[in-house]
Amino acid sequence: VNSTVSATVKTNSSMQYHTFVEIIGINDDDALDKIDQAKETEFYFDHQHSSITPHAPYSCSKSIFKQLKKSVTDTNIISIHNQESEEENKLYRYKSGDFLDFYAKLGVDLSNFKAQARNSIQSYLSYLPLNNRIILVHNTFTSLKDLDFIHRMGRNVIMCLCPKANLYIEGTLPKVNILAEHLGEITVGTDSLASNDTLSVLEELKVIHEHFKELDFLTTIQWATINGAKALGLEATLGSLEVGKKPGLVLLKGMNMLKMNNKVE
């Protein structure tokens, strides 16, 4: 969210929410004001299930990352759009690509921005709070070298895949098979109706299995359930069938020998 519009709906709903209050701010001078505005917005949501988070590396200044690091506690879950487009990597590697035109139209001065000769995740991850759980969303252009970097950093990172949104925005998918092989903590999301025609995690799973047939459904169903609960700090009550928990149950029809296909409902 970036406003309080949904606060009343969430308060009165039986659905469990975790609300991410996103910060967007490119100018260094606005950092403190942006943090304060986010805190004011977060006040209207469940304080146990809300957190302040940067929108994306290209939409937040270095000053915002630094101020966020000082302003949040270790329980604050970070969710950030990561490597959703190849242009993001071009910006950080070479200071080139479409983002230069984007910033020029906004009147943003990039004279102090220096290319790092490495992808965006390798450039900004160290600016995020050290001990917080980090959900990297999209990861469409995340490489094997990026995964190795994340491992070496020793961060508590979960990757959230939104395949239908990736196909809508970029016409391509993350290297899901490589992510699955080298990173155990994966979950599934939908992005929003701005880039998707459903908010169904089942539909996302169907897309994943359509394009990566070697994946095991017993693995991906965990991405869609318990891993998502862990990512949001809700694993004590949701995500698996265990005594004392209150998960939702969904009956899948059309499965054949635990194989996901497009006819599953």
Side-chain angles (χ1 to χ4, degrees):
V1 304
N2 52 27
S3 75
T4 63
V5 170
S6 63
T8 302
V9 173
K10 291 176 179 177
T11 299
N12 296 328
S13 174
S14 58
M15 184 178 290
Q16 179 66 66
Y17 290 90
H18 184 96
T19 300
F20 292 101
V21 181
E22 285 189 332
I23 299 175
I24 295 177
I26 302 174
N27 296 315
D28 285 331
D29 295 341
D30 295 338
L32 286 175
D33 287 341
K34 293 292 184 179
I35 297 290
D36 288 342
Q37 290 170 18
K39 287 181 177 179
E40 290 177 8
T41 300
E42 188 189 23
F43 174 81
Y44 291 89
F45 296 91
D46 181 352
H47 72 279
Q48 292 183 319
H49 298 293
S50 62
S51 51
I52 298 172
T53 196
H55 167 259
Y58 58 80
S59 61
C60 290
S61 66
K62 187 183 294 186
S63 293
I64 282 181
F65 281 113
K66 289 181 177 179
Q67 289 298 332
L68 182 70
K69 206 170 187 177
K70 298 176 183 177
S71 302
V72 300
T73 65
D74 289 351
T75 60
N76 190 100
I77 304 171
I78 302 293
S79 168
I80 183 168
H81 291 226
N82 178 64
Q83 295 171 296
E84 190 174 356
S85 74
E86 183 58 28
E87 298 304 315
E88 181 180 316
N89 284 333
K90 288 180 182 178
L91 174 67
Y92 281 87
R93 288 188 72 86
Y94 313 115
K95 195 177 179 179
S96 66
D98 293 345
F99 272 111
L100 296 186
D101 293 334
F102 170 73
Y103 290 130
K105 290 178 181 178
L106 293 177
V108 175
D109 181 11
L110 284 186
S111 56
N112 292 326
F113 181 89
K114 293 181 174 57
Q116 303 294 316
R118 54 188 180 178
N119 285 348
S120 65
I121 183 65
Q122 299 182 46
S123 301
Y124 76 80
L125 186 60
S126 61
Y127 294 127
L128 294 177
L130 184 61
N131 299 314
N132 296 57
R133 183 182 300 118
I134 300 169
I135 304 174
L136 300 177
V137 184
H138 291 298
N139 314 295
T140 320
F141 294 89
T142 301
S143 70
L144 191 55
K145 287 185 177 180
D146 294 328
L147 295 178
D148 180 63
F149 174 81
I150 292 170
H151 279 301
R152 286 188 284 109
M153 289 287 288
R155 295 301 187 91
N156 182 7
V157 167
I158 296 172
M159 289 204 160
C160 179
L161 308 179
C162 307
K164 290 190 66 179
N166 300 149
L167 290 175
Y168 178 87
I169 296 170
E170 291 291 334
T172 190
L173 292 172
K175 299 177 179 69
V176 178
N177 50 348
I178 294 177
L179 296 179
E181 182 178 352
H182 294 275
L183 190 75
E185 297 299 321
I186 296 175
T187 188
V188 179
T190 63
D191 207 350
S192 74
L193 291 175
S195 58
N196 208 330
D197 58 358
T198 72
L199 297 179
S200 167
V201 171
L202 173 59
E203 294 301 315
E204 304 295 329
L205 284 185
K206 287 159 73 171
V207 170
I208 289 173
H209 280 275
E210 179 184 357
H211 290 83
F212 301 93
K213 299 185 185 302
E214 69 275 21
L215 290 177
D216 180 6
F217 174 72
L218 294 181
T219 296
T220 62
I221 193 64
Q222 294 181 60
W223 299 355
T225 54
I226 187 62
N227 284 11
K230 288 178 179 177
L232 299 176
L234 299 171
E235 67 272 24
T237 55
L238 302 175
S240 60
L241 298 173
E242 297 180 62
V243 175
K245 288 191 174 186
K246 297 181 180 180
L249 293 177
V250 178
L251 175 62
L252 299 183
K253 297 180 179 180
M255 296 286 291
N256 182 16
M257 299 296 291
L258 288 179
K259 295 293 184 181
M260 176 66 71
N261 60 72
N262 287 332
K263 296 181 180 179
V264 173
E265 298 178 351

